[in-house]
């Protein structure tokens, strides 16, 4: 009788242990992309001096969150063009890498967050 009780107790413990592991799956939190953290460094590195008034730029200001947000779809379209295509950006510079374009896409997909 003790043996049967021990076996039943052991089975119960194993079942509870297995169930508790399945009910609490590890959640992977992927940080959202934001203008201030992810986009500003990209703009400063790739859109200078044209879109940065502090660098003598005279075209639409992308040092400003509201302007960058307002033109986000146009920016995304233009940075995905190939050199030589009408509207390609960055003008007279190399095409952004796939990773850089992906950062911009993720910012748009994440909801154009400022911070």
């Amino acid at each position: 009788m003790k043996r049967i009780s021990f076996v039943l107790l052991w089975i119960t413990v194993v079942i509870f242990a297995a169930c508790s592991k399945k009910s609490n799956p590890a959640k992977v939190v992927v940080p959202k992309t934001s203008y201030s953290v992810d986009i500003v460094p990209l703009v400063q590195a790739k859109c200078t001096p044209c879109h940065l008034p502090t660098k003598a730029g005279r075209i639409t200001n992308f040092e400003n969150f509201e302007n960058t947000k307002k033109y986000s779809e146009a920016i995304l379209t233009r940075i995905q063009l190939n050199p030589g295509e009408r509207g390609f950006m960055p003008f007279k510079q190399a095409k952004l890498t796939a990773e850089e374009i992906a950062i911009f896409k993720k910012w748009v997909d994440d909801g154009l967050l400022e911070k």
Side-chain angles (χ1 to χ4, degrees):
M1 190 68 170
K2 285 184 177 182
R3 221 177 216 183
I4 293 173
S5 296
F6 178 74
V7 170
L8 289 175
L9 177 65
W10 180 250
I11 290 172
T12 304
V13 168
V14 169
I15 290 172
F16 278 114
C19 289
S20 67
K21 289 179 183 175
K22 290 180 183 176
S23 64
N24 289 328
K27 291 184 180 181
V28 177
V29 178
V30 178
K32 296 212 180 243
T33 305
S34 73
Y35 173 78
S36 60
V37 173
D38 304 289
I39 301 303
V40 168
L42 189 57
V43 167
Q44 289 174 340
K46 302 295 180 169
C47 306
T48 189
C50 303
H51 293 285
L52 305 174
T54 58
K55 305 273 186 188
R58 295 188 180 146
I59 302 175
T60 307
N61 178 3
F62 294 148
E63 286 179 308
N64 169 311
F65 168 71
E66 289 303 322
N67 276 352
T68 310
K69 180 179 177 180
K70 178 179 176 182
Y71 292 103
S72 61
E73 291 298 324
I75 295 167
L76 187 55
T77 298
R78 294 178 82 171
I79 64 175
Q80 293 181 86
L81 294 172
N82 291 311
E85 291 181 306
R86 183 175 171 89
F88 168 78
M89 286 292 158
F91 185 66
K92 293 186 179 181
Q93 293 186 31
K95 182 177 175 93
L96 273 64
T97 66
E99 293 80 14
E100 292 166 334
I101 294 170
I103 291 168
F104 203 88
K105 281 183 184 178
K106 187 169 181 326
W107 178 57
V108 171
D109 291 344
D110 286 348
L112 303 166
L113 302 172
E114 183 173 8
K115 296 179 182 182

